[in-house]
Amino acid sequence: MKFNFKQTLSILVLAGITMFSTSSSASFSNEQLLKVLLGNGAITQQQHDELLDMSADDEQKTEEMSANDVQVTLDKGSLKLQSKDESFKMQVGGRIMVDAASFDDGSDQYDDGTKLRRARLFVSGTVWRDWHYKGQYDFASAETSIKDAWIKYTGLNDILEMPLDITFGNFKEPFGMEELTSSKYITFMERSMASNTFAPSRNVGLGFNTYGKVMNEGGWSATVGYFGHGIDDDDDGDESYGYVGRATFAPIATTTRVLHVGGSVEHRKWKGLVSSHRSYRLRARPENHIGSTRIVDTDEFKVDDLTTWGFDTAAVYGPFSVQGEYFHQNVNSVAFGDLDFDGWYAYMSYFLTGESRVYDAKKGLFKRTKPNSIVGKGGYGAWELAARYSAINLNDGAINGGRAENITLGVNWYATPTIRFMGNYVLTDASRSDKENPNIFQLRGQVDF
């Protein structure tokens, strides 16, 4: 058999190119190598072109394989998976909150006890960069309840040259600062009476959100939406529907200084003619969730429509912060005409260990506090003191739901960024004659992952 040097050399070159195309440490490209071989006469122009095409195919296949590689991380206890090109992401996490409370009311209307306040699992992620999703379920009660179940599209950002998030599913209506702040990050164990009573929570709807910067160190946000009822509601037939919007403005939003103002409004109308579908009720617990006793309660009455608006403000200066909200609701009732109810709260907090509350200008909300030192890494965590005053008035016309005032004193220990212990002492003063005014000492241990 006659030895063909050029043919053999071509085979060796092809083998070498294959190895180079799969190696990330190659010092020069396949195209440069083929150019050198062509210049030295080792291969013909036709062989050069054929080998160059084969190399390009191999590089494309290698890139596709690399893009499909999955990176798995355990970020602060949360399991995260991500493709190498970041087109696909998935996170699995949850939270556990365990409460204990003792009541001092001079009667047997309130029982001391413990409670699994929240036990949630969620899956969230991204598909093809522009599609995002989240499903969250709560197992704290006897029946599993759906919290978040939504998809979000962000693919219009580049076309519009501005951020625009479009969300559809079961999620929180954009109303109120304290209500929209995750339970993982709120300053007290429970949100204020006013927030719990007037701010709508999760419902099925469609929302549009945008945001921007202000003066290089601040930000603004605006969100509007259309919502029906919650995904777990058992309503049959026509249900109420509402239009809602929230806007925030923070001229200052740095890591240690924040100045925030915001406003929310919702108009909700009852569509059905069936009497049971038009029932409405306002009531509140004494900022405690052990037991079912409400210290103010309008009982059920029939409504045609209602309008709720709220104003919120907050400021942070180093370890010191203040926050407050006011709510007003006008109800067009079937039997009693126009009714007006309102409520508000204000609180302050101070970190003894020097941390600052962390503000997200894109959402107009506070998020996770990160202690300067971590218990388990030689530190002692973050310590925060807080005090809140809240009031609510559910009396107007023929409706006598009652008035109530609460003072809550709190201490929080952030052992790590995801483990927190809370202690609250709540003093209540309600006008309803059929209820005693309890003083409550309560504790919580929580972890999220």
Side-chain angles (χ1 to χ4, degrees):
M1 182 177 68
K2 186 178 180 180
F3 179 74
N4 189 324
F5 175 77
K6 288 187 175 181
Q7 183 179 10
T8 304
L9 180 60
S10 298
I11 295 173
L12 293 175
V13 169
L14 178 60
I17 288 173
T18 302
M19 288 187 292
F20 270 102
S21 66
T22 58
S23 172
S24 60
S25 61
S27 60
F28 51 90
S29 69
N30 297 337
E31 184 178 356
Q32 291 174 320
L33 175 61
L34 291 172
K35 186 176 181 180
V36 171
L37 293 174
L38 178 62
N40 292 333
I43 58 176
T44 66
Q45 183 65 50
Q46 181 180 354
Q47 290 172 328
H48 169 273
D49 295 341
E50 291 175 352
L51 291 172
L52 186 61
D53 290 340
M54 294 174 61
S55 174
D57 291 341
D58 288 339
E59 288 179 355
Q60 182 177 357
K61 291 178 181 178
T62 301
E63 290 176 359
E64 292 175 353
M65 292 175 62
S66 177
N68 290 328
D69 289 344
V70 177
Q71 300 174 344
V72 181
T73 60
L74 197 63
D75 183 16
K76 297 181 179 63
S78 181
L79 179 63
K80 297 182 178 180
L81 296 85
Q82 176 179 291
S83 63
K84 194 170 183 179
D85 67 349
E86 300 186 3
S87 292
F88 301 90
K89 300 178 183 179
M90 187 178 75
Q91 178 179 350
V92 180
R95 74 191 72 172
I96 298 173
M97 300 179 181
V98 182
D99 291 0
S102 175
F103 294 85
D104 178 16
D105 65 318
S107 71
D108 295 326
Q109 291 184 332
Y110 301 91
D111 295 323
D112 300 347
T114 58
K115 182 175 185 176
L116 184 60
R117 179 65 175 92
R118 294 178 179 92
R120 296 182 184 176
L121 293 175
F122 75 84
V123 177
S124 64
T126 300
V127 179
W128 296 115
R129 294 182 182 272
D130 295 331
W131 295 94
H132 314 271
Y133 64 89
K134 184 176 183 180
Q136 181 173 228
Y137 306 88
D138 196 304
F139 302 89
S141 60
E143 297 182 0
T144 301
S145 61
I146 299 174
K147 295 300 180 180
D148 293 308
W150 51 257
I151 57 175
K152 179 189 297 182
Y153 181 66
T154 57
L156 296 177
N157 295 7
D158 293 336
I159 298 174
L160 299 175
E161 297 184 349
M162 62 176 290
L164 179 64
D165 301 341
I166 304 174
T167 307
F168 176 73
N170 195 73
F171 59 102
K172 283 188 176 182
E173 295 190 26
F175 193 105
M177 189 176 202
E178 194 177 38
E179 174 60 33
L180 290 174
T181 300
S182 171
S183 62
K184 297 181 293 184
Y185 314 140
I186 55 177
T187 302
F188 299 89
M189 289 175 58
E190 299 295 335
R191 298 178 176 91
S192 67
M193 293 183 296
S195 293
N196 284 330
T197 302
F198 296 114
S201 188
R202 291 176 175 87
N203 285 311
V204 176
L206 175 67
F208 300 85
N209 169 252
T210 186
Y211 51 86
K213 293 184 177 180
V214 176
M215 298 184 295
N216 296 323
E217 64 173 15
W220 61 272
S221 72
T223 310
V224 295
Y226 173 84
F227 290 85
H229 285 191
I231 201 169
D232 282 335
D233 289 349
D234 296 326
D235 295 333
D236 296 322
D238 289 333
E239 62 183 45
S240 67
Y241 60 92
Y243 302 94
V244 61
R246 180 174 189 253
T248 68
F249 177 72
I252 302 173
T254 68
T255 55
T256 59
R257 295 187 306 136
V258 175
L259 179 60
H260 159 99
V261 292
S264 309
V265 62
E266 184 198 38
H267 178 74
R268 180 165 288 270
K269 184 171 180 60
W270 272 254
K271 187 177 180 182
L273 298 177
V274 181
S275 178
S276 62
H277 297 159
R278 306 165 74 99
S279 296
Y280 188 62
R281 185 178 193 176
L282 294 170
R283 55 183 181 170
R285 290 183 171 93
E287 294 174 354
N288 167 276
H289 217 272
I290 293 179
S292 58
T293 301
R294 268 71 170 183
I295 56 175
V296 288
D297 190 344
T298 63
D299 297 319
E300 290 189 352
F301 60 101
K302 309 303 179 185
V303 299
D304 284 326
D305 60 80
L306 60 85
T307 301
T308 310
W309 60 270
F311 171 79
D312 54 86
T313 186
V316 174
Y317 189 80
F320 178 76
S321 73
V322 293
Q323 179 176 320
E325 291 187 74
Y326 173 78
F327 302 90
H328 183 275
Q329 187 172 95
N330 174 260
V331 181
N332 181 17
S333 69
V334 175
F336 309 118
D338 282 348
L339 301 169
D340 291 284
F341 309 108
D342 66 354
W344 65 281
Y345 75 86
Y347 73 77
M348 64 180 67
S349 78
Y350 184 81
F351 281 94
L352 301 174
T353 45
E355 290 82 0
S356 296
R357 295 179 70 195
V358 181
Y359 179 77
D360 184 352
K362 293 181 180 180
K363 298 180 179 179
L365 303 172
F366 286 100
K367 54 184 182 178
R368 185 185 304 278
T369 296
K370 300 178 180 179
N372 293 330
S373 65
I374 296 176
V375 177
K377 296 183 65 176
Y380 44 79
W383 288 85
E384 180 186 25
L385 301 179
R388 178 176 65 192
Y389 175 85
S390 61
I392 191 170
N393 179 9
L394 299 184
N395 292 333
D396 192 35
I399 299 296
N400 185 23
R403 297 172 179 263
E405 300 175 355
N406 274 7
I407 296 176
T408 302
L409 306 176
V411 57
N412 298 320
W413 177 38
Y414 303 79
T416 77
T418 58
I419 296 176
R420 178 168 64 157
F421 297 91
M422 310 175 72
N424 285 179
Y425 188 73
V426 185
L427 299 91
T428 67
D429 183 9
S431 64
R432 291 191 63 170
S433 59
D434 58 333
K435 303 295 180 185
E436 296 291 338
N437 294 320
N439 294 334
I440 311 164
F441 177 68
Q442 53 189 359
L443 298 171
R444 170 176 294 169
Q446 73 176 59
V447 59
D448 68 274
F449 53 91

